[in-house]
Amino acid sequence: MVLGVKTRKQLMKQYEPMADYGFLGPDSVAWKVWGHPTSYVLGFARSVTIEHFDPNLAAAVVQSGGVKYRPSTRYGRTLRYFAMQLFAGAEQTCRAADVLVKVHSKAIGHDPVTGGEYDANKPSSQLWIHMTAWHSILKCYEMFGPGRLSEDEENQFWAECREIAKLQTIDPATVPTSRDEVHQYFEDWRPHLAASEAAQDMIHFIIPLKVALPPAMPAWQKALLAPTMWVMSKGVISTYPRYMREMANLRQGRLLDALVRIPNRLLHALLFRSLNARLALFGLLAPQATPVAAPAILRIPPLSDKVWEVREAQAHFGFDVPSAAHPDLRAKQRERVFDKGESPSDEGLVESEQHIGTMDVHRAARV
């Protein structure tokens, strides 16, 4: 965590440059939108709550138990991986994406809501996560940040969304590339969404936002931050469409929606103006993600100014396209779970720690 008031040069000395510009670079619209403070809490929290309306995802989250028994490191690992997709070097990100296929291979099982099976590597499930993230980040940028993008910028944003989707098991042809297509995507999903007890429980667990705070934070500091967390929490709810609020059993009227917009806009405008405050907040909430995001926030030049295409980098660095990666492991996990009735192995979890962050709360706090 960054402490004290430091100059830009002093802050830059704390972080190592990336190997290259990865897949987007500083001229991308995604860098501008994802790099804005509205993404750190508001956009990210909106995404990871709305995700749970997919009954398959809710089943995977509940049965793994990771969000509830280690929420801060789960938050940090997820935010680090999203930051890598946007800001990290190409090889580093390809490697993390590859190991994530291994991690997701164990997120399989029976969905009690639909009566079917869930598989975290399923392309449609990955697309749901991808779209809720990119849409939520943009929506919060528009509502609480600088406002709506130009038509050209938005078209570029969604084209970049499709390119980054190639890091997952997603078929890029299925990724919406315009505002109208994105809205239609969510309308098409509505019949498949479920307000299950598990989904509501997870949303109500996350939405107060206290789970994002380090567990070792002193009680007086949490009390000091409580009003700000409340304002941001209500800001997240204000972005939900009415039908999602009803599904989640979240009661918040239009008056409160309007009232929390002003302090949220002011807070994030202040954060945008202060590099010290932005990095301090990032370091507090996601210390594992800070070394990835900070070089982009500070505009630290990478060792190479190359911007890669995802498929180009995967081929160059020797990684399979994610949808075809690790078929033997994925088949072995399915045999264990669906044929033998056993628990999946933890293969890939330990390996993932060096790429997308530790699962140990105490080590994460020392990053």
Side-chain angles (χ1 to χ4, degrees):
M1 179 175 174
V2 180
L3 297 174
V5 178
K6 299 179 181 179
T7 66
R8 187 189 193 95
K9 286 186 177 180
Q10 288 174 321
L11 291 169
M12 291 174 71
K13 291 179 181 178
Q14 296 179 208
Y15 302 101
E16 296 294 327
M18 291 293 152
D20 49 55
Y21 276 128
F23 308 110
L24 297 172
D27 295 330
S28 66
V29 178
W31 266 45
K32 179 171 75 170
V33 175
W34 280 80
H36 196 275
T38 49
S39 68
Y40 306 170
V41 178
L42 300 177
F44 188 68
R46 184 185 193 273
S47 172
V48 298
T49 48
I50 286 176
E51 285 177 0
H52 288 84
F53 290 125
D54 171 12
N56 283 182
L57 183 141
V61 169
V62 170
Q63 291 178 29
S64 73
V67 171
K68 282 204 168 181
Y69 73 76
R70 51 177 182 84
S72 62
T73 57
R74 182 69 177 256
Y75 184 98
R77 278 165 60 89
T78 305
L79 194 53
R80 176 182 170 89
Y81 182 66
F82 276 126
M84 291 180 73
Q85 290 184 324
L86 273 292
F87 307 124
E91 182 177 13
Q92 177 186 9
T93 307
C94 285
R95 192 174 301 279
D98 184 74
V99 78
L100 198 60
V101 174
K102 294 183 182 180
V103 174
H104 284 159
S105 75
K106 73 182 298 292
I108 56 175
H110 296 282
D111 179 356
V113 174
T114 65
E117 298 175 356
Y118 67 84
D119 181 343
N121 276 316
K122 185 179 178 181
S124 59
S125 294
Q126 286 291 303
L127 181 59
W128 169 251
I129 294 169
H130 189 70
M131 293 310 301
T132 55
W134 279 71
H135 177 258
S136 293
I137 294 297
L138 179 58
K139 188 170 186 67
C140 290
Y141 177 89
E142 292 179 339
M143 289 183 65
F144 306 115
R148 188 161 175 171
L149 300 173
S150 69
E151 184 178 353
D152 287 346
E153 285 181 318
E154 185 163 355
N155 288 337
Q156 183 179 338
F157 180 82
W158 293 119
E160 291 163 357
C161 172
R162 174 174 282 190
E163 179 66 15
I164 295 302
K166 296 174 185 177
L167 288 164
Q168 305 304 118
T169 58
I170 299 165
D171 176 358
T174 63
V175 181
T177 55
S178 70
R179 182 176 288 254
D180 288 343
E181 288 183 9
V182 171
H183 287 169
Q184 188 60 52
Y185 171 81
F186 284 105
E187 281 301 307
D188 290 344
W189 256 88
R190 281 187 68 170
H192 305 289
L193 304 182
S196 64
E197 182 179 357
Q200 289 191 10
D201 178 62
M202 289 307 305
I203 291 170
H204 284 258
F205 177 72
I206 296 168
I207 205 69
L209 305 181
K210 293 181 289 186
V211 296
L213 297 176
M217 176 180 280
W220 68 268
Q221 289 185 351
K222 291 183 179 179
L224 196 63
L225 287 171
T228 301
M229 303 301 282
W230 183 88
V231 166
M232 288 195 291
S233 172
K234 298 304 179 184
V236 173
I237 296 172
S238 75
T239 69
Y240 274 45
R242 289 287 156 185
Y243 77 89
M244 285 190 178
R245 297 188 203 195
E246 292 173 3
M247 291 176 68
N249 193 26
L250 293 170
R251 307 301 178 197
Q252 182 169 304
R254 289 184 175 86
L255 178 59
L256 186 53
D257 285 354
L259 289 174
V260 298
R261 183 170 297 190
I262 295 172
N264 270 299
R265 288 183 67 89
L266 288 173
L267 171 64
H268 289 86
L270 290 171
L271 287 170
F272 182 73
R273 292 188 180 96
S274 171
L275 286 171
N276 281 271
R278 290 167 70 184
L279 291 171
L281 176 63
F282 214 106
L284 175 69
L285 299 175
Q288 301 177 77
T290 307
V292 177
I297 292 170
L298 293 166
R299 298 293 170 135
I300 298 174
L303 301 179
S304 165
D305 62 2
K306 181 173 175 60
V307 177
W308 298 76
E309 293 182 355
V310 172
R311 293 289 186 252
E312 173 196 16
Q314 287 166 337
H316 179 82
F317 294 114
F319 294 101
D320 290 332
V321 171
S323 59
H326 309 295
D328 292 343
L329 173 60
R330 293 166 69 178
K332 182 175 69 175
Q333 296 283 43
R334 293 188 66 83
E335 181 183 9
R336 288 175 64 98
V337 173
F338 297 122
D339 296 341
K340 298 180 179 179
E342 300 173 353
S343 297
S345 73
D346 288 339
E347 190 168 345
L349 273 184
V350 174
E351 181 185 358
S352 75
E353 290 195 274
Q354 69 182 99
H355 302 295
I356 57 176
T358 179
M359 293 179 287
D360 183 277
V361 173
H362 303 293
R363 276 190 287 155
R366 294 194 296 271
V367 172

